[in-house]
Amino acid sequence: MADNLPSEFDVIVIGTGLPESIIAAACSRSGQRVLHVDSRSYYGGNWASFSFSGLLSWLKEHQENSDIVNECPAWQEKIHENEEAIALSRTDKTIQHVEVFCYACQDLHEDVEEAGALQKNHASVTSVNCTEAADSACLPVEDESLRTTSCEIPAEQTPSSDPERALEVNDVQVTGEKENCCDDNTCVPSTAEKETSENVPVAEDTAEQPKKNRITYSQIIKEGRRFNIDLVSKLLYSRGLLIDLLIKSNVSRYAEFKNITRILAFREGRVKQVPCSRADVFNSKQLTMVEKRMLMKFLTFCMEYEEHPDEYKAYEEITFSEYLKTQKLTPNLQYFVLHSMAMTSETGSSTIDGLKATKNFLHSLGRYGNTPFLFPLYGQGELPQCFCRCKAIIDQYGQRIISKHFLVEDSYLSENTCAHVQYRQISRAILITDRSVLKTDSDQQISILTVPAEEPGTFAVRVIELCSSTMTCMKGSYLVHLTCTSSKTAREDLEPVVQKLFTPYTETEIENEEIEKPRLLWGLYFNMRDSSDVNRNTYNDLPSNVYVCSGPDCALGNDNAVKQAEALFQQICPNEDFCPPPPNPEDIILDGDSLQPEASESSALPEASSETPKESSNLRNPEEPSK
Amino acid sequence: MPLPLSGVKTSEEQAEAKRLEREQKLKLYQAATQTVFQKRQAGELDESVLELTSQILGANPDFATLWNCRREVLQQLEMALALAELGFLESCLRVNPKSYGTWHHRCWLLSRLPEPNWARELELCARFLEVDERNFHCWDYRRFVAAQAAVPPAEELAFTDSLITRNFSNYSSWHYRSCLLPQLHPQPDSGPQGRLPEDVLLKELELVQNAFFTDPNDQSAWFYHRWLLGRADPQDALRCLHVSRDEACLTVSFSRPLLVGSGMETLLLMVDESPLAVEWRTPEGRNRPSHIWLCDLPATSLNDQLPQHTFRVIWTAGDAQKECVLLKGRQEGWCRDSATDEQLFRCELSVEKSTVLQSELESCKELQELEPENKWCLLTIILLMRALDPLQYEKETLQYFQTLKAVDPMRAAYLDDLRSKFLLENSVLKMEYAEVRVLHLGHKDLTVLCHLEQLLLVTHLDLSHNRLRALPPALAALRCLEVLQANDNAIESLDGVTNLPRLQELILCNNRLQQPAVLQPLTSCPRLTLLNLQGNPLCQAEGSSEHLAELLPSVSSILT
């Protein structure tokens, strides 16, 4: 790798979250010289996915009150006289109210060993203002952990230093965490503390044969690499902007997806499957014949509601839930449409909004399977990386680099810059459980469940349950993500739902094999800052060539990130095509020699025909059109 | 390291490169084809032919002649290369999974392999059907494989289950069920074949109802529903036997058109328990499959010396027979199955269990309320009503016909004909309940005449005020007809008014008979004495009366 970076770039992008990565890829596709940097040791910022140990390290980082001393920065001498520095924050202040619970059985001798070593059960991150700085035109790359990536065309000719591999090296140190689990059915919440992996015996399971299907904490640690735990929990709408972008830009070649297998609803204290596709309705055992017809009829109408204004015009003033009551739908069906398809609240949205949301849901249905959603194998954190995939990676710092455009993710901005910004918060919970919330023949189900808000002022909770074939959790376990807009701390917002759906893992209950609810093995709550609707003008003193990207939003889809990326890209590169496909390798004319680039697979991306459900789709499989 | 590059080809350059590539391809293709044909002509059927054809077929698997070449080569080489051929076929199927030639070649190959791996073939089918569950080529091949490998029907049924679960809009899958279910649930030998036990039937009905409630516009489910309710082919039967002393003639009517020949399929006549050799013919005199066959009887078989004569007819091919008696002093004798106790007309649907039909009718009516304009639902309601009680539901049925015609104007003529058929069936039923031989079909908006073979004994037929355009050849079955009224129709031809031995009066006012020549068939009706043609175009012509008198000298009264 080059010893020195060029001293001048067209665009510098700070942060490797989804919008930043898209913009970096788009700019480089448009022929801009892009320097893409991230001060973290992992890709994605708050869009990242972690192995279990990686998550524990991340937790540790956010639980420690790191006291970074204001050193006299060496970068100051690189600032020219007529330049003004903008300080960047050195620590991440976007994560708060982190709480970790462990319910899984710890090995006995560990308990003995660690008895009494209880930790504080609540940890919040105190932000320390840090003094990274950048001048409007000049970026000193200085942090010792700064990792830079630079873009080059063509994508195909990157050297073998696979960014993913490089990244995974960071994950190798498995830090075992100790949590205490009491045997008296009450779980004492405990937080992760500095414990080294040597203390966690990675014993072979020979002695555990009789309890084979009971997952212990040490097994989770041991199989930690099987986990890919997303900080944000999102899905891709099959016809959402992100899928379109992945296909258009041919970035889809770097990712593989699985269809969400079912949509669930929580009604009358029970989890039920929501029939949403034609095949679901046909196969549903819980709907009566007449309900099947009513539902299909209503959904068909929603698909083209704009063409039948007389059917809804009279109801424009009322809420969607009131409107549904006027339709020929049983309460059961009204609930499904409102909460699981439109995914709106009782009071929250108008008839038009509801119809639009339902249409959006249905529009994505059937493109790749019987639900509208796709999930990227190995986690949502794969997506920013896919857009970063075509770059070289170098570790470097201490260099003065000049650029015209400077794009920074919100979390990098210092407290001074953000002094007047009002942020919303996202409440998140991440759970590891031992079985699905709704048992079926197949244990490999990927489900999304919406639990409506119970009290006014609170928000519906989105539950996404991932099975092990999504490559995000160990075999025999499920990874459950809960997300809602915060009204209080994550735990206060989400714990009621967790209690409804799950039961803590305890020794006594294990005898009762008929137990219905999945058991919690491990859980984590935290709040994440939602900077998605921050107006740029509320930031203090930003020069016009500094653009701000928001962190993840609370919505299910990724449209916000794509829209934002496209809008910012248009500001940086007006009138340029946004993320065009890379040139066909055959069409690249190389300098001088006869060296032919390897022919790549066809870049054609035919759509999946609606009649062809796919187990695992990489968005590229040409489909057989049906007669 | 990234390679240095000096640019990307323009779209014109790309197009040019593509064009050259295509040209090159065509050259190779044509050259290879020519070589193969030359070698084939010269009888050089060696491995090079396999190689050349595989180049072409690999790109275009729909070249039937080349597949033939390959078969010739493979036969010569005694199948030594069969395993490689299997792999090659798979690559061709990936190019075109709906290539007739490729699938056929695979059938050919597999049936010649000494130890075919059927499990692998089933797996192949499953994979192709996963990509496209409606690929009927593959379904065909799967049925072939399942038959060769003797896969239990239950397993294949489970396979169709899984595909229907995924997408019920699948004719092949439903069709396969209709083949498998009768195999899985064979009926006792005596019973009608093709019917399912009630519990199985109810399960299938529920499944198919799920489909049409989910999407009432999907035809595949309705077709399967029709199959479930439809009857298997009835066994051949003799419906009616009629002997007339005057005409010295015996007439039989079959349940379906049959050809009475001289070989195995012969019709034996026993008169007073002794066989009688007779010549069978159809009423219209053509030697074609017909419902009606008749023969002349010798005077000895009809004489009045005995108190009665017994006529027995045996259909040897179908193991059916019928017997009737002609009593002394009677002009005629007959024996027939009554439409009232045999379900002669319910051939649209056959399920006897009226409870099943009743509940099907109720669900369809429920669906119809939700989908008032669904033609499949309307049609099914009509069929169910007919199967349940054609007379009781007559009025309701006619209303449904009206709705159906309004929502499906493209099939108005078909629906008119169907309606005519049902009304005619109802009229026959009413006539038989009344135990008369007079059939009133006036003012019924009929567009077509059917079931005429059922009317062998009718003496008076009124067809006035309908929309008939012809008196069709099948009318010749009405061997006893004496009076035929067909006023106020749109009749243009009279082909069926032929060889009617007893016809005396024919009333055809206000029709569209254009030329005297259309009356030609009437010359074969010996007893015709009254013919009313008033209000027909042919009456306008000058000298028409004379012309008619000349054509029909035996008709004493012709009104024009």
Side-chain angles (χ1 to χ4, degrees):
Chain A
M1 204 48 59
D3 289 330
N4 261 312
L5 286 173
S7 62
E8 195 177 338
F9 283 91
D10 297 315
V11 184
I12 293 175
V13 178
I14 300 190
T16 50
L18 186 57
E20 304 97 271
S21 301
I22 294 173
I23 292 168
C27 290
S28 86
R29 286 268 166 94
S30 297
Q32 305 280 315
R33 291 165 302 162
V34 182
L35 179 66
H36 195 180
V37 298
D38 197 320
S39 67
R40 300 180 180 94
S41 56
Y42 51 86
Y43 273 95
N46 280 347
W47 299 81
S49 305
F50 293 107
S51 68
F52 192 70
S53 60
L55 183 70
L56 296 180
S57 311
W58 178 85
L59 283 171
K60 202 164 66 180
E61 237 172 79
H62 287 91
Q63 284 169 325
E64 276 170 1
N65 297 350
S66 43
D67 300 312
I68 296 160
V69 187
N70 250 0
E71 296 156 17
C72 180
W75 51 265
Q76 285 192 346
E77 55 206 50
K78 296 196 175 170
I79 303 283
H80 295 180
E81 263 180 40
N82 57 345
E83 290 170 346
E84 181 197 344
I86 294 174
L88 290 184
S89 168
R90 186 155 183 180
T91 50
D92 190 350
K93 301 174 290 291
T94 57
I95 305 297
Q96 284 182 303
H97 309 302
V98 178
E99 296 183 60
V100 179
F101 300 83
C102 181
Y103 306 92
C105 195
Q106 314 251 329
D107 289 330
L108 198 60
H109 61 97
E110 276 179 83
D111 281 340
V112 173
E113 227 173 27
E114 297 296 320
L118 275 181
Q119 285 84 34
K120 59 184 183 224
N121 53 10
H122 176 258
S124 67
V125 174
T126 323
S127 45
V128 174
N129 193 10
C130 172
T131 52
E132 273 282 333
D135 134 344
S136 62
C138 154
L139 172 76
V141 188
E142 193 151 9
D143 186 285
E144 59 275 358
S145 66
L146 195 72
R147 175 172 289 264
T148 63
T149 60
S150 84
C151 278
E152 289 270 61
I153 300 179
E156 286 74 22
Q157 271 109 43
T158 43
S160 62
S161 79
D162 183 345
E164 196 178 43
R165 294 286 149 267
L167 193 72
E168 286 198 346
V169 175
N170 293 319
D171 295 338
V172 172
Q173 356 92 348
V174 179
T175 328
E177 309 296 330
K178 279 291 148 57
E179 272 81 37
N180 286 45
C181 177
C182 300
D183 292 337
D184 61 358
N185 292 0
T186 14
C187 278
V188 177
S190 59
T191 48
E193 268 291 51
K194 277 192 190 171
E195 299 289 341
T196 52
S197 53
E198 289 84 78
N199 290 347
V200 181
V202 192
E204 280 307 316
D205 307 279
T206 42
E208 292 174 353
Q209 285 306 333
K211 287 186 175 183
K212 209 182 168 195
N213 46 8
R214 288 160 205 172
I215 299 169
T216 63
Y217 186 69
S218 61
Q219 275 176 300
I220 294 177
I221 294 286
K222 203 178 109 195
E223 303 253 2
R225 298 292 298 276
R226 305 253 171 246
F227 288 88
N228 279 294
I229 302 170
D230 295 328
L231 295 184
V232 283
S233 171
K234 285 177 179 291
L235 298 175
L236 286 85
Y237 278 92
S238 297
R239 285 186 201 278
L241 295 178
L242 185 53
I243 290 286
D244 289 349
L245 181 66
L246 285 165
I247 292 173
K248 180 190 172 193
S249 61
N250 210 5
V251 170
S252 55
R253 74 171 70 182
Y254 300 119
E256 269 194 291
F257 298 87
K258 259 189 187 293
N259 234 109
I260 303 309
T261 56
R262 55 189 188 174
I263 313 286
L264 302 178
F266 187 72
R267 185 162 188 255
E268 289 159 353
R270 289 183 56 212
V271 176
K272 297 176 178 181
Q273 183 163 356
V274 176
C276 52
S277 69
R278 218 168 84 111
D280 284 352
V281 173
F282 170 67
N283 293 315
S284 170
K285 297 262 184 284
Q286 50 169 333
L287 297 186
T288 65
M289 294 288 176
V290 173
E291 276 186 316
K292 289 184 180 201
R293 188 78 288 272
M294 287 170 160
L295 182 59
M296 283 301 288
K297 203 171 172 159
F298 183 73
L299 297 183
T300 311
F301 159 70
C302 286
M303 280 295 283
E304 45 192 37
Y305 75 94
E306 285 128 322
E307 288 157 41
H308 309 281
D310 37 313
E311 300 212 13
Y312 65 88
K313 271 281 184 257
Y315 307 102
E316 275 184 352
E317 301 301 315
I318 57 173
T319 61
F320 188 49
S321 68
E322 287 299 318
Y323 167 72
L324 290 176
K325 284 177 198 153
T326 68
Q327 298 299 299
K328 280 187 194 152
L329 295 170
T330 56
N332 203 23
L333 298 180
Q334 290 173 33
Y335 186 95
F336 288 163
V337 174
L338 184 68
H339 297 294
S340 303
M341 297 189 196
M343 291 184 274
T344 63
S345 63
E346 297 279 350
T347 52
S349 61
S350 69
T351 299
I352 299 289
D353 291 343
L355 287 171
K356 211 170 166 178
T358 312
K359 184 186 171 177
N360 189 34
F361 176 96
L362 296 169
H363 187 58
S364 282
L365 199 69
R367 188 183 197 186
Y368 297 113
N370 275 338
T371 73
F373 306 112
L374 293 179
F375 181 78
L377 291 187
Y378 302 98
Q380 169 86 15
E382 282 292 295
L383 296 176
Q385 288 187 55
C386 289
F387 285 94
C388 298
R389 206 46 82 81
C390 39
K391 301 160 191 172
I393 293 187
I394 29 179
D395 272 305
Q396 209 168 30
Y397 35 87
Q399 192 185 339
R400 180 188 162 91
I401 293 169
I402 296 175
S403 172
K404 287 195 288 286
H405 301 284
F406 185 83
L407 190 127
V408 62
E409 197 256 318
D410 168 88
S411 67
Y412 283 86
L413 297 171
S414 70
E415 275 197 346
N416 286 339
T417 313
C418 306
H420 296 106
V421 180
Q422 289 288 313
Y423 289 108
R424 285 187 307 194
Q425 295 287 329
I426 303 168
S427 289
R428 290 277 291 116
I430 295 167
L431 314 170
I432 299 170
T433 67
D434 69 336
R435 69 188 73 180
S436 172
V437 287
L438 183 62
K439 217 178 151 216
T440 47
D441 301 341
S442 161
D443 64 348
Q444 292 300 308
Q445 299 274 6
I446 313 171
S447 321
I448 173 168
L449 163 68
T450 311
V451 182
E454 284 203 327
E455 296 158 28
T458 60
F459 298 91
V461 175
R462 184 171 75 229
V463 183
I464 294 176
E465 183 187 77
L466 304 169
C467 60
S468 59
S469 64
T470 63
M471 318 307 276
T472 59
C473 56
M474 63 183 276
K475 210 161 169 264
S477 73
Y478 290 83
L479 184 63
V480 184
H481 289 280
L482 286 82
T483 311
C484 74
T485 306
S486 303
S487 48
K488 291 170 242 157
T489 68
R491 185 177 165 194
E492 286 165 328
D493 281 338
L494 299 173
E495 199 166 46
V497 174
V498 172
Q499 281 167 353
K500 271 182 211 166
L501 295 173
F502 306 96
T503 182
Y505 176 98
T506 59
E507 277 300 324
T508 46
E509 268 171 326
I510 211 154
E511 307 303 326
N512 181 7
E513 286 299 324
E514 292 308 302
I515 180 166
E516 263 188 29
K517 291 180 182 177
R519 288 180 299 234
L520 283 174
L521 300 169
W522 188 87
L524 159 70
Y525 293 99
F526 64 92
N527 286 86
M528 183 187 283
R529 192 159 91 181
D530 176 1
S531 51
S532 62
D533 66 345
V534 175
N535 189 322
R536 191 180 181 282
N537 298 330
T538 52
Y539 293 110
N540 290 332
D541 308 321
L542 282 187
S544 65
N545 61 344
V546 173
Y547 309 90
V548 183
C549 249
S550 78
D553 64 333
C554 192
L556 174 60
N558 293 281
D559 282 12
N560 188 55
V562 179
K563 273 185 197 155
Q564 191 181 32
E566 184 161 12
L568 290 171
F569 171 78
Q570 294 302 346
Q571 290 179 38
I572 297 168
C573 306
N575 308 320
E576 286 280 339
D577 190 13
F578 180 56
C579 276
N584 192 327
E586 289 163 28
D587 296 335
I588 295 170
I589 304 160
L590 297 167
D591 270 344
D593 61 2
S594 59
L595 190 56
Q596 283 295 310
E598 258 178 66
S600 75
E601 317 99 294
S602 141
S603 60
L605 291 149
E607 263 182 33
S609 91
S610 56
E611 295 193 338
T612 312
K614 272 269 155 274
E615 261 300 289
S616 156
S617 45
N618 63 1
L619 309 183
R620 284 193 291 151
N621 284 349
E623 299 299 344
E624 179 56 27
S626 278
K627 282 201 176 161
Chain B
M1 281 303 294
L3 289 163
L5 63 150
S6 57
V8 172
K9 286 179 192 166
T10 63
S11 54
E12 289 81 34
E13 286 170 328
Q14 284 179 30
E16 178 63 14
K18 285 257 160 63
R19 196 187 61 76
L20 285 173
E21 199 186 308
R22 268 204 303 275
E23 223 166 62
Q24 190 62 25
K25 252 190 200 165
L26 183 66
K27 247 187 222 158
L28 288 172
Y29 187 89
Q30 284 171 335
T33 311
Q34 216 172 7
T35 318
V36 170
F37 286 166
Q38 280 164 359
K39 282 189 177 257
R40 190 190 194 194
Q41 216 153 31
E44 295 169 30
L45 295 169
D46 50 25
E47 285 186 43
S48 72
V49 174
L50 284 186
E51 177 54 33
L52 284 166
T53 51
S54 71
Q55 280 170 19
I56 305 171
L57 290 167
N60 170 24
D62 294 308
F63 201 150
T65 312
L66 295 192
W67 286 117
N68 284 337
C69 289
R70 278 183 94 81
R71 281 193 277 275
E72 287 164 17
V73 177
L74 287 168
Q75 270 174 329
Q76 289 238 325
L77 299 177
E78 299 194 327
M79 313 299 286
L81 300 158
L83 285 179
E85 191 73 354
L86 282 175
F88 172 65
L89 281 167
E90 272 162 51
S91 69
C92 290
L93 286 174
R94 274 194 287 272
V95 173
N96 180 6
K98 290 180 178 170
S99 157
Y100 285 93
T102 319
W103 288 108
H104 174 68
H105 192 69
R106 204 170 177 93
C107 278
W108 179 87
L109 191 66
L110 262 293
S111 47
R112 271 159 191 79
L113 283 183
E115 285 172 346
N117 183 351
W118 296 117
R120 195 173 171 282
E121 295 307 296
L122 284 171
E123 180 56 33
L124 177 106
C125 292
R127 281 215 322 266
F128 272 93
L129 289 174
E130 192 171 318
V131 175
D132 176 3
E133 65 267 6
R134 307 196 336 169
N135 183 345
F136 63 80
H137 302 260
C138 184
W139 276 105
D140 249 1
Y141 184 68
R142 189 183 176 95
R143 284 194 290 273
F144 162 78
V145 172
Q148 296 293 316
V151 179
E155 276 176 31
E156 287 297 280
L157 191 74
F159 181 76
T160 68
D161 271 339
S162 73
L163 276 132
I164 285 172
T165 302
R166 220 161 60 188
N167 177 8
F168 63 81
S169 182
N170 191 332
Y171 291 92
S172 305
S173 214
W174 292 117
H175 167 70
Y176 202 9
R177 287 183 93 76
S178 71
C179 301
L180 292 166
L181 284 168
Q183 284 180 46
L184 270 172
H185 307 282
Q187 292 290 296
D189 284 342
S190 55
Q193 293 305 301
R195 284 186 188 171
L196 301 177
E198 192 173 352
D199 56 328
V200 178
L201 181 69
L202 287 174
K203 251 178 82 184
E204 291 301 299
L205 284 171
E206 197 193 328
L207 186 71
V208 77
Q209 264 181 30
N210 273 318
F212 61 67
F213 268 84
T214 304
D215 184 357
N217 293 316
D218 185 79
Q219 302 186 16
S220 66
W222 288 108
F223 280 124
Y224 186 61
H225 188 248
R226 186 83 173 257
W227 177 80
L228 286 173
L229 299 178
R231 74 163 63 201
D233 283 339
Q235 284 186 315
D236 294 342
L238 285 162
R239 291 290 185 213
C240 183
L241 181 57
H242 176 258
V243 185
S244 164
R245 200 188 296 274
D246 270 6
E247 288 104 37
C249 177
L250 181 141
T251 313
V252 293
S253 149
F254 285 104
S255 58
R256 68 178 178 102
L258 288 169
L259 187 61
V260 173
S262 47
M264 277 300 288
E265 296 190 332
T266 45
L267 196 55
L268 296 183
L269 175 60
M270 310 280 282
V271 181
D272 301 323
E273 300 305 319
S274 46
L276 180 69
V278 287
E279 284 290 318
W280 294 101
R281 65 174 198 273
T282 62
E284 62 269 42
R286 290 176 300 184
N287 194 26
R288 292 224 307 236
S290 168
H291 277 103
I292 306 284
W293 289 86
L294 46 94
C295 65
D296 295 323
L297 295 173
T300 47
S301 309
L302 298 165
N303 60 36
D304 250 350
Q305 286 152 8
L306 293 167
Q308 65 175 55
H309 288 288
T310 315
F311 298 88
R312 184 158 36 158
V313 175
I314 302 156
W315 174 239
T316 51
D319 197 23
Q321 57 172 304
K322 217 158 204 71
E323 189 178 274
C324 82
V325 170
L326 182 63
L327 295 172
K328 186 175 178 178
R330 294 289 181 86
Q331 278 305 308
E332 55 187 357
W334 68 81
C335 168
R336 68 149 186 215
D337 296 337
S338 168
T340 56
D341 42 55
E342 280 281 320
Q343 297 194 342
L344 286 188
F345 295 144
R346 299 191 189 177
C347 28
E348 303 300 327
L349 300 174
S350 69
V351 180
E352 306 113 300
K353 302 274 188 282
S354 60
T355 48
V356 174
L357 291 177
Q358 194 70 49
S359 77
E360 282 303 291
L361 179 61
E362 272 152 31
S363 4
C364 280
K365 279 183 161 177
E366 209 167 27
L367 179 60
Q368 204 260 332
E369 258 172 55
L370 296 164
E371 296 292 318
E373 307 219 318
N374 185 279
K375 59 176 180 173
W376 295 100
C377 186
L378 286 162
L379 184 59
T380 308
I381 287 177
I382 291 170
L383 296 179
L384 285 164
M385 285 178 163
R386 288 211 59 73
L388 277 163
D389 190 334
L391 293 180
Q392 187 202 321
Y393 285 113
E394 183 174 289
K395 230 174 120 185
E396 228 177 311
T397 310
L398 291 177
Q399 281 166 358
Y400 278 114
F401 261 116
Q402 216 156 24
T403 320
L404 186 51
K405 252 177 86 171
V407 302
D408 191 13
M410 300 279 281
R411 279 159 205 82
Y414 162 76
L415 293 171
D416 280 338
D417 287 358
L418 194 62
R419 180 180 164 282
S420 300
K421 182 175 156 199
F422 291 162
L423 281 175
L424 206 145
E425 289 172 359
N426 284 5
S427 299
V428 172
L429 284 173
K430 284 177 202 164
M431 171 184 78
E432 293 198 4
Y433 279 120
E435 293 183 343
V436 291
R437 296 170 73 179
V438 179
L439 183 58
H440 293 287
L441 293 170
H443 293 279
K444 289 197 185 297
D445 231 8
L446 301 184
T447 54
V448 72
L449 293 174
C450 37
H451 293 308
L452 291 170
E453 71 282 355
Q454 294 294 328
L455 309 182
L456 188 55
L457 302 178
V458 168
T459 58
H460 291 70
L461 176 62
D462 182 4
L463 297 170
S464 301
H465 296 279
N466 282 301
R467 292 195 281 143
L468 300 173
R469 304 177 64 139
L471 296 177
L475 194 78
L478 278 71
R479 303 289 296 166
C480 305
L481 190 63
E482 290 163 18
V483 177
L484 174 59
Q485 287 170 289
N487 297 330
D488 298 287
N489 279 286
I491 296 168
E492 289 169 7
S493 72
L494 302 171
D495 294 342
V497 193
T498 180
N499 292 320
L500 295 174
R502 297 186 189 175
L503 185 67
Q504 291 164 26
E505 290 181 26
L506 179 58
I507 316 298
L508 291 166
C509 302
N510 303 323
N511 278 294
R512 295 191 193 157
L513 300 169
Q514 305 283 349
Q515 306 290 334
V518 299
L519 302 177
Q520 184 65 40
L522 306 189
T523 55
S524 62
C525 299
R527 298 206 190 160
L528 186 62
T529 50
L530 173 63
L531 175 64
N532 191 340
L533 296 169
Q534 284 167 347
N536 278 288
L538 63 75
C539 305
Q540 314 299 323
E542 228 175 290
S544 59
S545 317
E546 293 77 18
H547 202 140
L548 290 170
E550 201 180 310
L551 181 69
L552 301 164
S554 60
V555 182
S556 53
S557 173
I558 303 180
L559 305 176
T560 57

